[in-house]
């Protein structure tokens, strides 16, 4: 059990703020937790995802060139969103997945649609938002930063993948208001690590990940995009057991778990 900052408790001679995190979250299934995946869509009839996708919406420009979202049955244009959904569903099989489609064929999309998709997720107050995408265009720095602050204040836990290339992308660098993730070669989703003080704070499985793909298929994939949903799945488990946790408390919980992982690893005898 780890002690985590976050919940006030008054004692006769002092006042402390903490949360006791029992290990029962490891046996949770994500039941009751609403997870938004802002991506290329989800193939909802994939055998591994049937019954798990609660909503499919897609971005389009209206006659005034504003981005709006319509319910859709178009599925996934690229496979990327389906791959992320499969990872989350494997870790948190009872989480309710909501697809917010902002990317088209080959996983390409417009920055305005991306921001609109994130705003849609915040307005609907999804508990966890998976962003396995980002932009390097500087004109989106400020508006994305503002959106992430709104998400934080709304109680939405946003998890963003770092750029696969060695330069920053937005919003993953906004580590004060979201949880940023980079890949490692670990295979156990619970054995993630925390790089305290780094811009990209968490490392999670993202190398040779076997997951769902288009046409009811599977692929083995590598990238930061696939590390991100591992953390989203873990957060869904935490929120099932602690539904009132704030984004700050969730990040504190992840840090405590990662610290425990590191301590356990350091106690292993050298081979």
């Amino acid at each position: 059990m780890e002690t985590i900052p976050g919940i006030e408790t008054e004692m006769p001679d002092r006042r402390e703020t903490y949360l006791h995190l029992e290990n029962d979250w490891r046996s949770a299934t994500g039941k009751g937790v609403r997870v938004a995946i802002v991506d290329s869509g989800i193939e909802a009839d994939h055998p591994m995802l049937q019954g798990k996708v609660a909503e499919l919406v897609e971005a389009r420009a209206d006659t005034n060139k504003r981005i709006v979202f319509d319910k859709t049955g178009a599925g996934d244009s690229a496979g990327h969103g389906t791959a992320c959904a499969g990872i989350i569903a494997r870790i948190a099989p009872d989480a309710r997945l909501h697809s917010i489609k902002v990317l088209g064929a080959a996983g390409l999309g417009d920055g305005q649609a991306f921001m609109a998709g994130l705003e849609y997720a915040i307005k609907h107050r999804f508990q966890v938002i998976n962003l396995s995408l980002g932009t390097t265009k500087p004109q989106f720095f400020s508006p994305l930063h503002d959106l992430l602050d709104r998400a934080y204040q709304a109680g939405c836990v946003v998890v963003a993948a770092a750029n696969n290339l060695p330069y920053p992308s937005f919003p993953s660098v906004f580590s004060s208001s979201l949880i940023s993730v980079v890949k490692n070669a670990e295979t156990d989703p619970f054995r993630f690590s925390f790089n305290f003080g780094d811009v990209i704070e968490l490392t999670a499985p993202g190398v040779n990940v076997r997951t769902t793909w288009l046409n009811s298929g599977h692929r083995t994939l590598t990238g930061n995009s696939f590390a991100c949903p591992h953390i989203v799945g873990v957060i869904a488990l935490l929120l099932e057991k602690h539904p009132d946790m704030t984004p700050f408390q969730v990040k504190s919980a992840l840090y405590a778990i990662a610290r425990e992982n590191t301590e356990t690893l350091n106690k292993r005898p050298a081979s």
Side-chain angles (χ1 to χ4, degrees), residues 186-209:
E186 180 61 67
T187 57
D188 183 345
F190 294 165
R191 297 199 60 79
F192 55 88
S193 59
F194 200 103
N195 297 322
F196 186 77
D198 288 0
V199 173
I200 308 301
E201 297 169 312
L202 282 172
T203 67
V207 177
N208 295 327
V209 177

Side-chain angles (χ1 to χ4, degrees), residues 92-143:
D94 290 330
R96 303 301 290 159
L97 306 180
H98 295 255
S99 172
I100 304 172
K101 186 176 181 179
V102 299
L103 300 178
L108 301 177
D110 173 76
Q112 294 295 338
F114 169 34
M115 287 200 305
L118 176 56
E119 185 173 25
Y120 179 95
I122 297 166
K123 283 183 176 179
H124 286 77
R125 292 183 176 267
F126 292 113
Q127 291 154 282
V128 197
I129 303 172
N130 188 99
L131 297 180
S132 290
L133 71 172
T135 178
T136 58
K137 295 180 179 179
Q139 64 265 35
F140 293 111
F141 180 96
S142 292

Side-chain angles (χ1 to χ4, degrees), residues 29-151:
T29 62
K31 186 176 182 179
V33 180
R34 298 161 65 238
V35 177
I37 301 174
V38 183
D39 213 290
S40 61
I42 297 175
E43 186 178 281
D45 59 356
H46 192 290
M48 303 302 295
L49 298 174
Q50 286 181 356
K52 302 180 186 299
V53 182
E55 179 188 34
L56 296 153
V57 297
E58 183 172 6
R60 68 170 177 86
D62 67 9
T63 55
N64 296 314
K65 297 184 178 180
R66 294 176 302 184
I67 303 296
V68 296
F69 288 88
D70 298 324
K71 292 190 181 300
T72 181
D76 190 342
S77 299
H80 194 267
T82 297
C84 293
I87 294 167
I88 296 168
R90 188 174 72 244
I91 298 168
D94 290 330
R96 303 301 290 159
L97 306 180
H98 295 255
S99 172
I100 304 172
K101 186 176 181 179
V102 299
L103 300 178
L108 301 177
D110 173 76
Q112 294 295 338
F114 169 34
M115 287 200 305
L118 176 56
E119 185 173 25
Y120 179 95
I122 297 166
K123 283 183 176 179
H124 286 77
R125 292 183 176 267
F126 292 113
Q127 291 154 282
V128 197
I129 303 172
N130 188 99
L131 297 180
S132 290
L133 71 172
T135 178
T136 58
K137 295 180 179 179
Q139 64 265 35
F140 293 111
F141 180 96
S142 292
L144 275 173
H145 198 286
D146 291 343
L147 274 178
L148 266 296
D149 285 344
R150 284 173 52 191

